[in-house]
Amino acid sequence: MFGTTEMQINMGPQHPSTHGVLRLELKLDGERIVDTRPVIGYLHRGCEKLGEDRTYAQAIVYTDRMDYCAAFAENLVYAEAVERLLGVEVPPRAQYMRVVLAELQRIASHLIWLGTHAMDIGALTVFVYGMREREFILDLFESYCGARLTYNAVRVGGMPEEFPEGWVEEARRFCDVLPSRLDEYHQLLTANRIWLARTRGVGTIDGKTALDWGMTGPCLRGSGVAYDVRKAIPYEAYADLDFDVPIGEAGDTYDRYLCRMEEIRQSRRIVLQALDKLPGGEIRGKVPRRIKPPKGEVYHVNEGPRGELGVYLVSDGSEHAYRCRFRSPNFVNLQALPDMVRGHLVADVVAVIGTLDIVLGCVDR
Amino acid sequence: MDDVDNKTPIPPPKKADPVEEALRAPAPSRALDRLGEALGDAIEDVAYHCGVPIVRVGRDRIVEVARFLKEDSGSRMLLLADLCGVDMIGLRGAPRFDVVYHLTGPDTRERITLKVAVEEGGEVPSVTPVWRGANWHEREAFDMFGIRFAGHPDLRRILMPEEFDAHPLRKDFPLEGREKDHGFWRRPEDETRNTYRD
């Protein structure tokens, strides 16, 4: 006889819109989502266990492999955590270099978010444009450290290299080009009727609930909570630099989109200021050859492109971390997904995965 | 335990290292002051590292303390930044595990760390009623260390496969090994089955 029944469907782990190996068990009523159960761990490589086995300097390489779309941010937060444990001061020039690279990394990461998010929803052109500008940043990173994706470009206590000749001018040239390219993206999407229909009111979450879930980064700021680690607990040279923290109102996919777009502009502002103020001098602080921090522990956070990146290190006085814990913003943000898609259509799940901007390497570690 | 302690000579007092001392210097914390006024009897120990107070709390008081820190108007620790387990076997012996809570006040710009000790096989009350986001963190601590959380809505493994039979972040778990030694990936009958390569 005819009747209706709830249906259970697996989305992923091999699904192009899940940005890697995320599996979602969807419970559907027709095309409406009744419940979602994210299943993760397909990319679990035991970065924390490896971080306890290798020395402090060696473990930086593993941080590259976690958030491979923003490897520099992961490098940075780990190196900073070890510096806090050691009580080492980083020379001002290295601090500014770090800020420049971290913000370029944020722009690159947001561009890959923009491209893939728009492509998932059906706007293919933006993907090609976003990749074009990202290429520029990858070239800058390549000429700085030789790698395009996994940089390993921070050392405990400073930076490995000076900027190569002509690098600063190239970076400036990129910053000059960027605003016109951003206008192009806005023309393609911001007032596009299809884009508005697919993002407005989709995946709405209010600020209080978002905080309750532990969400951070643009996902939290899109809901109107102005929490940015760069402002709240400044690190490196951020306290000397002038920038705004964009926040949204509605907490839906469209507001998060606008937030990230504005963040690209603010990051460009930071890069230009930091390049102007770039002081001279040493790029590496006084760090012993064998890094043996005194007994103790530190929980250090950075504002990564996807939210609050945290590293918790416990030292037992040896060359290896006794406990090495990575707090991944993606892991925490993904938790809220079932809440955000309940009652929506299956196609909206794709939009919400895009707006959470997850990188599975960082979720699973 | 007592015999061992009597036999080990007391080490001469070490010279204080200025860097180490600076790392351990106490820092003012409004949240800690408020907590001390309201629930002082729940605090077992306070230490500082890198300017953040590390507060050791009795195991049965953790939910109470967490709720106070979140809801009190003076502390407002609205964000549970992180929750993780630590295998303390190499540092102090017993009790074996610590559960560490890193809290952040987004508007007060303060941070505080809470710690709860738990022995192997013991249970810690879940803080999911206070912060919903604790759900996956507690699942991960269970997965990696085998720490159980009482009152958790859905305590399953999260990163390792469900049929895995060990807790990999414990210090006695080896760094290298075969999956089949831990009850997943290959069942005995699979060993003889022809694969597509044959």
Side-chain angles (χ1 to χ4, degrees):
Chain A
M1 295 311 273
F2 296 111
T4 54
T5 170
E6 280 179 0
M7 191 160 59
Q8 200 139 15
I9 284 187
N10 265 319
M11 189 168 168
Q14 274 84 23
H15 190 284
S17 78
T18 56
H19 294 206
V21 284
L22 170 69
R23 185 173 128 217
L24 295 174
E25 292 177 8
L26 305 176
K27 204 190 264 178
L28 300 178
D29 173 15
E31 219 188 317
R32 299 253 163 222
I33 312 281
V34 178
D35 201 13
T36 320
R37 211 171 71 151
V39 181
I40 59 170
Y42 291 92
L43 213 58
H44 177 60
R45 293 144 298 172
C47 285
E48 294 180 4
K49 189 89 177 168
L50 287 164
E52 290 166 20
D53 183 65
R54 302 292 193 264
T55 64
Y56 288 98
Q58 286 170 339
I60 298 181
V61 186
Y62 290 104
T63 63
D64 277 333
R65 272 79 187 166
M66 287 193 300
D67 186 348
Y68 40 75
C69 288
F72 187 82
E74 300 266 359
N75 290 167
L76 184 59
V77 68
Y78 183 82
E80 279 180 5
V82 180
E83 284 154 13
R84 297 287 187 289
L85 266 183
L86 280 167
V88 168
E89 284 286 316
V90 180
R93 183 174 174 82
Q95 290 193 16
Y96 275 85
M97 287 171 77
R98 286 173 171 191
V99 169
V100 170
L101 289 168
E103 293 306 317
L104 284 174
Q105 178 73 91
R106 190 184 314 277
I107 298 174
S109 171
H110 279 4
L111 285 173
I112 202 168
W113 153 79
L114 177 71
T116 51
H117 183 34
M119 187 173 65
D120 286 345
I121 298 184
L124 189 69
T125 321
V126 187
F127 176 74
V128 186
Y129 282 14
M131 287 292 134
R132 180 184 63 187
E133 271 71 76
R134 179 170 175 263
E135 190 64 20
F136 210 134
I137 300 178
L138 293 194
D139 285 344
L140 282 171
F141 268 103
E142 190 179 12
S143 67
Y144 177 66
C145 66
R148 292 170 61 82
L149 203 64
T150 50
Y151 306 121
N152 190 19
V154 184
R155 298 290 179 272
V156 174
M159 296 298 283
E161 310 271 354
E162 273 289 348
F163 285 140
E165 224 181 292
W167 195 94
V168 174
E169 288 70 39
E170 275 296 294
R172 271 189 217 281
R173 206 160 71 78
F174 171 72
C175 292
D176 291 342
V177 174
L178 189 64
S180 63
R181 302 288 164 89
L182 270 173
D183 293 342
E184 281 180 19
Y185 310 149
H186 275 298
Q187 272 174 20
L188 280 166
L189 293 176
T190 306
N192 183 327
R193 277 179 64 183
I194 304 172
W195 182 257
L196 287 169
R198 290 296 308 274
T199 54
R200 273 229 172 123
V202 172
T204 311
I205 188 161
D206 63 279
K208 197 164 170 280
T209 319
L211 264 179
D212 207 23
W213 279 117
M215 289 171 96
T216 43
C219 292
L220 177 66
R221 293 192 287 270
S223 303
V225 182
Y227 173 62
D228 186 317
V229 185
R230 290 173 295 175
K231 288 274 190 200
I233 312 160
Y235 52 96
E236 303 296 350
Y238 281 110
D240 306 337
L241 300 168
D242 185 29
F243 62 99
D244 299 321
V245 177
I247 57 168
E249 278 169 15
D252 58 2
T253 304
Y254 187 69
D255 274 22
R256 284 187 287 271
Y257 154 76
L258 290 180
C259 263
R260 287 202 177 93
M261 293 295 273
E262 184 54 31
E263 267 181 33
I264 297 180
R265 224 179 268 278
Q266 295 300 329
S267 290
R268 170 187 169 271
R269 238 175 104 191
I270 300 174
V271 171
L272 282 175
Q273 283 178 53
L275 286 176
D276 286 340
K277 288 185 177 175
L278 197 66
E282 287 288 305
I283 57 164
R284 297 188 78 169
K286 285 198 178 69
V287 178
R289 188 162 279 270
R290 290 157 70 91
I291 298 170
K292 285 172 92 169
K295 277 185 189 177
E297 60 178 71
V298 68
Y299 177 69
H300 182 65
V301 290
N302 260 10
E303 184 68 29
R306 290 171 179 77
E308 182 175 306
L309 280 170
V311 172
Y312 177 55
L313 291 172
V314 179
S315 161
D316 59 351
S318 74
E319 281 182 73
H320 310 262
Y322 181 78
R323 173 81 167 102
C324 173
R325 153 90 180 162
F326 298 110
R327 189 262 190 207
S328 138
N330 294 316
F331 178 83
V332 187
N333 292 353
L334 182 61
Q335 256 193 107
L337 180 103
D339 250 17
M340 291 165 82
V341 299
R342 193 167 293 128
H344 284 299
L345 301 176
V346 176
D348 294 332
V349 178
V350 175
V352 173
I353 295 173
T355 191
L356 285 175
D357 191 20
I358 48 169
V359 168
L360 266 296
C362 190
V363 173
D364 294 345
R365 285 153 289 152
Chain B
M1 211 46 203
D2 286 343
D3 312 54
V4 180
D5 279 347
N6 290 338
K7 273 172 201 163
T8 30
I10 302 157
K14 262 203 234 165
K15 248 198 221 163
D17 181 356
V19 175
E20 224 171 299
E21 224 158 62
L23 287 176
R24 289 177 198 287
S29 165
R30 202 171 134 75
L32 179 59
D33 296 343
R34 303 274 303 191
L35 183 67
E37 281 166 28
L39 295 166
D41 55 328
I43 299 174
E44 290 179 354
D45 181 37
V46 179
Y48 292 87
H49 212 271
C50 305
V52 176
I54 301 164
V55 183
R56 192 168 281 284
V57 176
R59 202 203 311 175
D60 41 346
R61 306 292 296 275
I62 179 66
V63 178
E64 198 184 339
V65 169
R67 195 179 295 277
F68 174 80
L69 284 174
K70 186 188 174 192
E71 285 167 8
D72 176 54
S73 57
S75 17
R76 287 182 58 76
M77 294 290 170
L78 297 178
L79 183 69
L80 174 70
D82 196 14
L83 186 162
C84 66
V86 182
D87 186 353
M88 299 299 281
I89 196 164
L91 293 182
R92 65 156 184 234
R96 179 154 178 185
F97 300 111
D98 262 354
V99 180
V100 186
Y101 307 75
H102 299 288
L103 315 184
T104 307
D107 35 10
T108 59
R109 303 178 173 199
E110 265 190 24
R111 280 192 278 162
I112 194 167
T113 301
L114 303 179
K115 278 188 178 184
V116 171
V118 58
E119 70 280 2
E120 204 173 336
E123 276 195 337
V124 181
S126 168
V127 292
T128 42
V130 187
W131 296 280
R132 272 193 262 184
N135 189 322
W136 281 19
H137 287 308
E138 288 181 350
R139 277 178 68 187
E140 194 185 347
F142 164 69
D143 191 359
M144 293 295 150
F145 296 96
I147 303 166
R148 305 197 71 89
F149 291 89
H152 189 283
D154 182 26
L155 197 65
R156 287 179 294 128
R157 285 186 183 273
I158 187 162
L159 293 175
M160 302 307 286
E162 270 167 38
E163 55 270 35
F164 197 71
D165 64 1
H167 299 289
L169 273 182
R170 288 186 176 187
K171 285 288 172 188
D172 50 12
F173 189 83
L175 188 74
E176 291 175 27
R178 299 292 297 270
E179 296 98 330
K180 65 179 163 66
D181 298 337
H182 294 289
F184 85 109
W185 197 253
R186 246 165 204 281
R187 296 178 298 272
E189 62 265 31
D190 292 341
E191 294 289 318
T192 53
R193 201 176 62 186
N194 285 345
T195 60
Y196 61 92
R197 284 196 204 88
D198 296 325

